[in-house]
Amino acid sequence: MLLFTSITLAIAGHLHAIPTTMSQHSQENPIEDSIYVKRQEWHARPPLETKPLSTPVPYVVIHHSYIPPACKNLVECSYAMRAMQSMHIDQNKWWDIGYNFAVGSDGKAYEGRGFTILGAHAKHFNTHSIGICLIGNWNDTLPPSHQLEKTKALIQYGVDQGFIREDYKLVGHRQVRPTECPGQTLYDHISTWPHFDGTLDLATNFVEDEVKPKLIFSH
Ligand SMILES: *[C@@H]1O[C@H](CO)[C@@H](O)[C@H](O)[C@H]1NC(C)=O
Ligand SMILES: [Zn+2]
């Protein structure tokens, strides 16, 4: 049984691309060493259903949560994750929390649907993107720098692991749907990031009723 558990852990570690040395090292610092906080760590409900996401994706879509507000530690951020998941499942009738990932003001990333499962965060873009939510309302204030840095590191990790295209384009939710998300201040900030695609906006992406995407995705 112990052997089986070790093998299972080794396989799980491999899937998440965590070197075995890191698993041993994680005895000292279990949370800081992980790339992101896993679903079981924030006590996620199981998804009702899943569909695989075809990777590498050409887009990363940035969101803010607006509600719940910014969270500053593992307990608060885990609570925020569960609140968003419940809202998305019970009210929106989605299969799971919509985002692929979220990032807290504690500087940690939280696993939503992950890199390999289709998200529900930006209609018409879900099949071609990873959706990352910066937990909090970032209309009037900028997230703390470690929240922004963790977001960049998570994207780079996704590129390194082959889930996100190297020449990916970064957009804010408002560029693909009529919404204020990810908030004016955060949107202004991400528009300075190297992969930001300022050419994409609602006018070019949608016709009339804003439900027909004009954009042709290229792989
Ligand atoms: C967000 O900020 C803009 C101005 O920067 C303002 O016009 C808008 O009303 C704000 N939205 C909310 C929901 O506070
Ligand atoms: Zn959004």
Side-chain angles (χ1 to χ4, degrees), residues 69-73 77 103-108 134-138 140-152 185-186 189 193:
C71 56
K72 296 179 180 64
N73 55 54
C77 293
V103 180
S105 295
D106 57 350
K108 294 188 205 312
L134 283 79
I135 301 169
N137 172 5
W138 308 116
D140 303 320
T141 53
L142 197 61
S145 58
H146 52 275
Q147 188 168 5
L148 296 166
E149 291 309 314
K150 185 65 189 188
T151 305
K152 289 181 186 173
T185 305
L186 177 56
H189 179 75
W193 290 7

Side-chain angles (χ1 to χ4, degrees), residues 78-91:
S78 296
Y79 182 82
M81 290 299 286
R82 291 196 299 274
M84 290 191 289
Q85 188 189 32
S86 292
M87 195 160 62
H88 293 176
I89 293 177
D90 301 331
Q91 287 171 39

Side-chain angles (χ1 to χ4, degrees), residues 59-142:
Y59 282 91
V60 172
V61 181
I62 298 294
H63 301 264
H64 73 163
S65 63
Y66 189 69
I67 296 167
C71 56
K72 296 179 180 64
N73 55 54
L74 186 67
V75 171
E76 283 181 15
C77 293
S78 296
Y79 182 82
M81 290 299 286
R82 291 196 299 274
M84 290 191 289
Q85 188 189 32
S86 292
M87 195 160 62
H88 293 176
I89 293 177
D90 301 331
Q91 287 171 39
N92 299 8
K93 304 295 176 192
W94 297 344
W95 290 343
D96 193 1
I97 187 169
Y99 308 115
N100 296 93
F101 289 94
V103 180
S105 295
D106 57 350
K108 294 188 205 312
Y110 289 80
E111 183 184 28
R113 298 195 185 190
F115 284 115
T116 60
I117 303 295
L118 178 67
H121 59 89
K123 207 169 182 182
H124 303 305
F125 262 72
N126 294 320
T127 53
H128 293 78
S129 66
I130 291 290
I132 303 176
C133 173
L134 283 79
I135 301 169
N137 172 5
W138 308 116
N139 198 50
D140 303 320
T141 53
L142 197 61

Side-chain angles (χ1 to χ4, degrees), residues 5 11 28 54 143 197 203 217:
T5 306
I11 292 166
E28 297 157 21
S54 172
D197 181 10
F217 291 112

